[in-house]
């Protein structure tokens, strides 16, 4: 990628913001070296890493990296068998401790729900070498401040114990001189140190009172720093011990350095990996700062930015626009008033494309698609050069000439005010010629202009479309809204009229304008009016659809309540009938028993009823009993199923009023529930399913029944009943992908051209799994998220091959 476009589109300002979140020298260097890639595999890998880091940042607060020093020079010295200082070894120890922390961090996540959603980073964490033995050796010998501890060796501990004893002996003797009669000979009653020896500040005239050695004197010569004769021998012993201490410390450092040297390469690899984790951590936090989203990379360079805004603008005040290029058309000609937002719109396209090709999330409010361009050229702003004696027009032309030799069908070109700075007629003609040249080379172009001739160009040329920035003539203010498909109006006369020019001036100006220009403005005005009317009509239809859907949901709910009530009444009636039958049966059995006894006593049959007839009457009574088992009552069974809970259900914990996901049921009957980053045990009575989960499970049950019916019919019948949508909401991850696989088989056999997969938003794991499945499936030609009014990123539209 050429460096000029990175400067023109302010790419370096994005990189500078990454530095705010970096804590390691290697991470800072990786961010400094970051440039857009043109390799689709590399770009997708970078985006997957950023996605992992965003998820970790959201659920775990980020990868737990401490601030690290640059240990590269230390490792180079180890490679030449040099001995490191205690501070240098301490800095290496910090790196090893961080290595162990990060390795354990990723191991712990593999046992958690988040571990199933991470794709790229866990594998990189497995390449970390923790080196526990050498790490423990350094930590025992050197503390975090770079001080060699007493535990570094037995010899060092013994030496330091002797030093401490001798120092205490010297201090006791010296302190005795600062009290009593000898204190009068001192300038100050204190003990101090000169040349690593304990001394007293003695008045010069009393030098002979102490004997010993003079080590220093004050500037005036009034005070001598004397080591009394009584402590000379002890101080000599102290000096000998300190020499031994230094020698032992140096031996320890040499020994640890020698033990560490064989691992220099592994430690350097750890530094690189930790630096990369620091870098992706920074990318995730930059995405959070920008409120950015992960883009989808399209190898055919179909760019579709949904509600995109410039990342260097305040997202609360910036106007978001849809920018689409590369599918139905490869060139956009944008017209509109000055300060209307044309330049910021084309810069937004260029900068977001550069960010996406760098593995950064982009500032869009809805899921968006980016291309892969080998080169991006931008001719923006006033590039007049006094040193080269070039006018604004000349500098722009020189810039465009330098592009042409490098343009191909993988190039994105951004023109701002193409052909401006010269005679309007010649400038317009030259602009058209340049656009035709770029089109012949297969380039993708987005250009801004004021020339009315280019409005016709955008209408006439193939794979070219007009666009404009909407201007509110009533308020005389730009709206910064980008409108695709409609050229911009010339509002000069309307603005002049609203500013107070009389009808004579406006009329004269109108008479002098080209009639064709007036007709073009009227056409544009009519198009805008029609577009606004269609938009208003669409909004009204959307509202009506929402109202109708709400009424339908209410009716379904009322119908379900009515069915439950009806089923309950029938069940109560059957129970009552069973009570009556049971009582009658009991009476009949008593009567039969009495008749049988009388018959046996008399030896004759009672009346005309035989034993078989009596038993038949009893059987008829048994048949009167009503079946009130729950499994035979479909309505109540359905109600019971609605209360059943299963792993993966989206639920609401009533006592907290918070939504969560069921992880698993424990032996005590409680459920483990995940609510955001929290996990807790909750009683089953405190849990209710969300309405969406209940509906999804009911829909899945019906689909399963329908599928069982379909399997019993012929292929032609299956094709006739194949549906154009598949609802996976509430279905577990593995089961959902299996069901999607079967559904695509059915859809292909049914010759369906386009299908809809509804996966919901939730945590995003199912949506991501569906996206990955569709991307690698040969049955799928293309796919994209549904429109905002049709589910947005909660549903994916797939075109089948």
């Amino acid at each position: 990628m050429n460096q000029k476009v990175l400067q023109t589109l302010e790419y370096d300002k994005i990189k500078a913001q990454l530095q705010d979140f970096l804590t390691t020298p290697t991470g800072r260097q990786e961010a400094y070296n970051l440039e857009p890639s043109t390799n689709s595999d590399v770009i997708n890998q970078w985006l997957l890493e950023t996605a992992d880091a965003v998820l970790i940042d959201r659920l775990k607060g980020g990868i737990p990296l401490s601030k690290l020093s640059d240990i590269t020079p230390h490792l180079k010295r180890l490679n030449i068998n040099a001995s490191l200082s205690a501070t240098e070894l301490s800095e290496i120890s910090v790196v090893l401790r961080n290595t162990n922390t990060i390795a354990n961090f990723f191991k712990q996540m593999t046992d958690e729900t988040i571990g199933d959603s991470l794709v790229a980073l866990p594998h990189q964490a497995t390449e970390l070498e923790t080196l526990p033995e050498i790490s423990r050796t350094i930590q025992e010998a050197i503390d975090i401040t770079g001080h060699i501890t007493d535990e570094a060796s037995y010899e060092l501990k013994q030496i330091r114990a002797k030093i401490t004893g001798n120092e205490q002996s010297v201090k006791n003797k010296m302190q005795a001189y600062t009290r009593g009669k000898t204190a009068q000979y001192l300038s100050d009653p204190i003990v101090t140190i000169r040349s690593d020896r304990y001394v007293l500040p003695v008045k010069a005239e009393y030098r002979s009172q102490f004997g010993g050695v003079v080590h220093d004197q004050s500037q005036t010569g009034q005070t001598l720093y004397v080591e009394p004769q009584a402590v000379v021998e002890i101080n000599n012993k102290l000096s000998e011990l300190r020499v031994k201490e230094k020698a032992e410390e140096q031996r320890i450092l040499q020994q640890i350095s020698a033990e560490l040297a064989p691992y220099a390469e592994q430690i350097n690899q750890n530094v690189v990996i930790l630096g990369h984790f620091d870098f992706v951590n920074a990318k995730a936090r930059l995405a959070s700062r920008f409120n950015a989203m992960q883009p989808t990379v399209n190898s055919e360079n179909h760019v579709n930015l949904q509600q995109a805004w410039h990342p260097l603008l305040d997202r609360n005040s910036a106007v978001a626009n849809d920018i689409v290029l590369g599918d139905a058309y490869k060139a956009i000609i944008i017209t509109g008033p000055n300060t209307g937002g044309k330049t910021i719109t084309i810069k937004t396209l260029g900068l977001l494309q550069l960010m996406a090709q760098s593995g950064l999330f982009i500032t869009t409010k809805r899921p968006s698609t980016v291309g892969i361009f080998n080169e991006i050229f931008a001719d923006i702003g006033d590039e007049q050069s006094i040193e080269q004696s070039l006018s604004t027009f000349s500098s722009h032309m020189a810039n465009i000439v330098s592009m042409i030799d490098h343009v191909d069908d993988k190039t994105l070109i951004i023109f701002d005010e193409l052909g401006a700075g010269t005679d309007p007629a010649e400038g317009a003609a030259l602009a058209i010629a340049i656009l035709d040249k770029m089109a012949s080379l297969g380039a993708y172009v987005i250009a801004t202009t004021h020339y009315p001739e280019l409005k016709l160009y955008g209408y006439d040329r193939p794979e070219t479309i007009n666009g404009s920035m909407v201007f509110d003539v009533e308020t005389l203010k730009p709206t910064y809204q980008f409108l695709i498909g409609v050229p911009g109006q010339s509002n000069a006369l309307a603005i002049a009229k609203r500013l107070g020019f009389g009808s004579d001036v406006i009329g004269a100006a109108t008479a002098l304008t080209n009639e064709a220009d007036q007709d073009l403005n009227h056409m544009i005005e009519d198009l805008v009016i029609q577009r606004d009317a269609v938009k208003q009509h669409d909004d009204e239809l959307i509202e009506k659809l929402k109202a109708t859907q709400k009424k339908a949901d209410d009716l379904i709910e009322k119908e379900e309540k009515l069915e439950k009530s009806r089923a309950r009444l029938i069940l109560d009636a059957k129970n009552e009938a069973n009570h009556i039958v049971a009582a009658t049966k009991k009476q009949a059995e008593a009567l039969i028993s009495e008749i049988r006894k009388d018959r046996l006593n008399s030896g004759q049959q009672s009346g005309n009823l035989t034993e078989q007839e009596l038993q038949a009457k009893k059987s008829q009574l048994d048949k009167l009993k009503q079946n009130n088992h729950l499994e035979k009552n479909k309505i109540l069974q359905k109600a019971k199923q609605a209360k059943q809970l299963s792993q993966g259900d989206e639920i609401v914990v009533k006592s907290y009023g918070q939504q969560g996901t069921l992880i698993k049921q424990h032996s005590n009957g409680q459920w483990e529930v995940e609510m955001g980053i929290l996990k807790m045990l909750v009683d089953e009575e405190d849990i209710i399913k969300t309405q969406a989960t209940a509906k999804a499970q009911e829909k899945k049950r019906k689909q399963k029944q329908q599928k069982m019916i379909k399997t019993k019919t012929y292929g032609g019948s299956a094709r006739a009943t194949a549906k154009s949508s598949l609802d996976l909401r509430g279905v577990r991850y593995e089961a959902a992908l299996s069901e999607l696989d079967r559904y695509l088989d059915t859809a292909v056999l049914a010759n369906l051209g386009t299908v809809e997969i509804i996966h919901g938003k939730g945590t995003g794991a199912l949506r991501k799994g569906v996206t990955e499945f569709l991307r690698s499936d040969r049955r799928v030609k293309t796919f994209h998220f549904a429109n905002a009014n049709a589910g947005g990123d909660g549903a994916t539209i797939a075109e089948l091959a």
Side-chain angles (χ1 to χ4, degrees), residues 87-291:
T87 301
E88 292 170 335
L89 289 172
S90 176
E91 291 173 351
I92 292 178
S93 177
V94 172
V95 171
L96 291 174
R97 282 198 294 270
N98 270 264
T99 301
N100 187 61
T101 299
I102 300 303
N104 289 333
F105 176 75
F106 279 97
K107 284 180 182 177
Q108 290 172 3
M109 284 196 295
T110 58
D111 299 328
E112 301 177 17
T113 306
I114 185 177
D116 298 331
S117 302
L118 301 179
V119 178
L121 297 183
H123 173 70
Q124 297 177 22
T126 60
E127 297 178 0
L128 290 169
E129 296 285 349
T130 55
L131 305 176
E133 294 299 329
I134 190 65
S135 179
R136 189 180 306 109
T137 298
I138 300 175
Q139 290 181 47
E140 288 176 353
I142 302 171
D143 64 21
I144 196 169
T145 64
H147 174 71
I148 300 176
T149 67
D150 292 349
E151 305 305 320
S153 75
Y154 177 78
E155 182 67 22
L156 181 63
K157 188 173 185 178
Q158 292 295 103
I159 292 172
R160 286 181 174 174
K162 292 177 182 179
I163 289 174
T164 301
N166 280 271
E167 283 181 339
Q168 190 59 45
S169 177
V170 170
K171 288 178 182 178
N172 291 338
K173 288 182 177 295
M174 298 291 278
Q175 289 292 340
Y177 288 117
T178 63
R179 298 186 294 269
K181 295 181 179 180
T182 55
Q184 61 184 318
Y185 306 125
L186 304 179
S187 298
D188 291 301
I190 60 173
V191 177
T192 185
I193 295 176
R194 290 292 187 274
S195 302
D196 291 332
R197 313 279 284 197
Y198 287 100
V199 296
L200 295 171
V202 180
K203 295 176 182 178
E205 58 269 27
Y206 299 119
R207 159 72 180 83
S208 59
Q209 295 292 329
F210 296 92
V213 181
V214 176
H215 288 279
D216 197 4
Q217 66 178 12
S218 64
Q219 291 182 351
T220 61
Q222 298 293 322
T223 301
L224 302 176
Y225 293 94
V226 177
E227 178 185 8
Q229 184 63 43
V231 297
V232 168
E233 187 60 32
I234 303 176
N235 270 332
N236 288 340
K237 183 63 175 176
L238 267 176
S239 297
E240 291 176 9
L241 290 171
R242 289 195 177 106
V243 170
K244 288 183 179 180
E245 180 187 30
K246 292 292 183 184
E248 179 61 16
E249 288 177 348
Q250 189 58 40
R251 187 195 66 79
I252 292 169
L253 295 176
Q254 288 175 345
Q255 179 181 338
I256 296 176
S257 298
E259 293 178 13
L260 193 60
Y263 303 104
E265 186 61 36
Q266 290 96 317
I267 296 172
N268 187 63
Q269 180 66 20
N270 290 343
V271 169
V272 173
I273 296 173
L274 293 179
H276 185 64
F277 283 157
D278 184 30
F279 172 62
V280 296
N281 226 11
K283 290 200 293 182
R285 285 167 180 169
L286 184 66
S288 177
R289 172 185 285 181
F290 286 159
N291 197 24

Side-chain angles (χ1 to χ4, degrees), residues 711-748:
T711 57
K712 299 177 182 179
T713 63
Y714 294 100
S717 176
R719 286 194 295 271
T721 57
K723 291 189 175 182
S724 61
S725 66
L726 172 65
D727 193 339
L728 298 176
R729 291 174 295 182
V731 185
R732 295 177 62 187
Y733 186 92
E734 294 81 6
L737 295 186
S738 298
E739 189 168 340
L740 175 58
D741 188 28
R742 292 193 296 271
Y743 172 73
L744 289 178
D745 283 337
T746 304
V748 171

Side-chain angles (χ1 to χ4, degrees), residues 371-626:
I372 304 174
F373 296 103
N374 293 337
E375 276 291 358
I376 299 177
F377 293 107
D379 183 61
I380 298 175
D382 186 356
E383 299 187 6
Q384 181 174 353
S385 172
I386 297 176
E387 293 180 358
Q388 299 177 15
S389 300
L390 294 175
S391 66
T392 300
F393 174 77
S394 299
S395 65
H396 282 302
M397 291 303 105
N399 191 24
I400 294 171
V401 168
S402 68
M403 300 176 186
I404 293 177
D405 291 338
H406 307 284
V407 172
D408 58 19
D409 60 352
K410 295 285 188 181
T411 302
L412 172 64
I413 303 176
I414 301 171
F415 290 129
D416 188 27
E417 299 298 345
L418 180 60
T422 187
D423 176 76
E426 292 183 354
L430 186 58
I432 291 173
I434 292 172
L435 290 172
D436 282 340
K437 176 65 175 177
M438 297 304 178
S440 69
L441 296 172
Y444 297 77
V445 179
I446 183 167
T448 69
T449 181
H450 280 292
Y451 294 136
E453 292 87 348
L454 267 72
K455 299 176 184 179
L456 297 175
Y457 179 91
Y459 180 76
D460 292 335
R461 289 299 195 277
E463 295 187 316
T464 305
I465 195 169
N466 279 305
S468 60
M469 306 306 297
V470 180
F471 188 86
D472 191 339
V473 182
E474 296 297 323
T475 62
L476 301 181
K477 292 181 179 179
T479 65
Y480 305 108
Q481 287 289 341
F482 177 55
L483 181 61
I484 196 74
V486 178
Q489 291 178 257
S490 178
N491 298 303
L493 296 180
I495 293 173
K497 184 176 181 180
R498 287 194 57 81
L499 289 175
F501 279 98
S503 58
D504 54 339
V505 176
I506 301 299
T510 303
L512 292 173
T513 57
N514 187 297
E515 185 176 347
D517 290 343
Q518 294 184 39
D519 292 341
L520 180 60
N521 279 330
H522 290 322
M523 179 192 73
I524 295 171
E525 184 178 1
D526 185 56
L527 285 173
V528 172
I529 291 172
Q530 291 182 34
R531 180 253 184 191
D532 291 342
V534 170
K535 187 175 184 300
Q536 182 179 357
H537 186 249
D538 285 346
D539 292 341
E540 290 174 356
L541 288 177
I542 291 171
E543 291 301 321
K544 289 180 180 179
L545 182 62
K546 289 180 179 178
T548 303
Q549 185 62 46
K550 186 177 185 304
K551 289 180 180 179
D553 292 341
D554 291 342
L555 286 174
I556 291 172
E557 185 178 355
K558 289 179 181 178
E559 183 181 1
E560 288 179 351
K561 289 181 179 178
L562 184 61
E563 287 181 352
K564 289 180 182 178
S565 176
R566 178 175 172 273
R568 176 57 62 184
L569 288 173
I570 292 174
L571 182 62
D572 291 343
K574 287 182 178 181
N575 287 333
E576 181 65 24
N578 288 337
H579 288 314
I580 295 173
V581 170
T584 305
K585 182 180 178 182
K586 186 175 181 180
Q587 294 174 2
E589 287 179 345
L591 179 61
I592 290 171
S593 176
E594 185 178 347
I595 293 172
R596 187 179 290 118
K597 287 179 181 178
D598 290 342
R599 189 178 59 195
L600 291 174
N601 292 334
S602 62
Q604 297 178 354
Q605 298 225 354
S606 177
N608 297 322
L609 293 177
T610 64
E611 181 66 24
Q612 291 78 7
E613 289 172 335
L614 288 173
Q615 293 300 328
K617 296 294 184 182
K618 181 180 178 182
S619 298
Q620 290 178 4
L621 286 173
D622 289 338
K623 291 180 180 177
L624 292 175
K625 184 176 181 180
Q626 297 295 314

